[in-house]
Amino acid sequence: INAEYGGDEDRVRRMSVVEESGEKKINMAYLSVVSSHTVNGVAAIHSGLLTTSLFRDFYQMTPDKFQNKTNGITPRRWLVLCNPSLSHLITEKIGAGWVKELSQLTKLREFV
């Protein structure tokens, strides 16, 4: 950080893995950014928060390290796996297309 931002002591202090004010502590979030080859925000909104506020200084220094890959499971896949009986009933009523296109669940309105 000193090599990149030598004269900007405020930035160097903000990016320090060791919190210098009061009792010295390790900032584990900063340590994870420094020691990782990539940082993922999991969802676009989270990635935005990471790069514009929480890790802004790190993002400005190494923007290619920050990525956005949505992890997890889609609602339709979750439904198929966690409740096969309900999935089967839905398929009986509206067809199997909903498994690939969640918006097709609106077809269930006619059965309400």
Side-chain angles (χ1 to χ4, degrees):
I1 296 171
N2 277 328
E4 185 82 19
Y5 301 107
D8 191 347
E9 291 302 317
D10 190 45
R11 182 185 292 255
V12 171
R13 181 192 51 75
R14 285 193 318 264
M15 295 175 74
S16 178
V17 172
V18 179
E19 294 181 9
E20 299 291 342
S21 59
E23 183 183 350
K24 290 188 179 192
K25 300 177 192 173
I26 301 296
N27 185 317
M28 297 304 287
Y30 290 3
L31 180 60
S32 69
V33 170
V34 170
S35 61
S36 299
H37 71 281
T38 58
V39 177
N40 184 23
V42 181
I45 192 168
H46 299 136
S47 296
L49 290 170
L50 293 178
T51 59
T52 60
S53 60
L54 187 62
F55 299 133
R56 180 179 49 94
D57 290 324
F58 293 100
Y59 175 71
Q60 290 172 348
M61 186 170 153
T62 54
D64 292 339
K65 179 183 270 199
F66 290 80
Q67 302 177 3
N68 178 53
K69 292 184 182 110
T70 300
N71 296 333
I73 189 167
T74 63
R76 62 188 188 277
R77 184 164 185 246
W78 176 82
L79 182 57
V80 168
L81 294 174
C82 80
N83 197 334
S85 298
L86 179 57
S87 298
H88 181 71
L89 178 62
I90 293 170
T91 299
E92 281 181 1
K93 296 295 182 187
I94 65 172
W98 72 273
V99 175
K100 294 197 183 224
E101 189 178 328
L102 189 65
S103 64
Q104 288 191 22
L105 289 178
T106 59
K107 294 177 182 178
L108 292 170
R109 289 183 181 145
E110 72 179 85
F111 302 102
V112 176

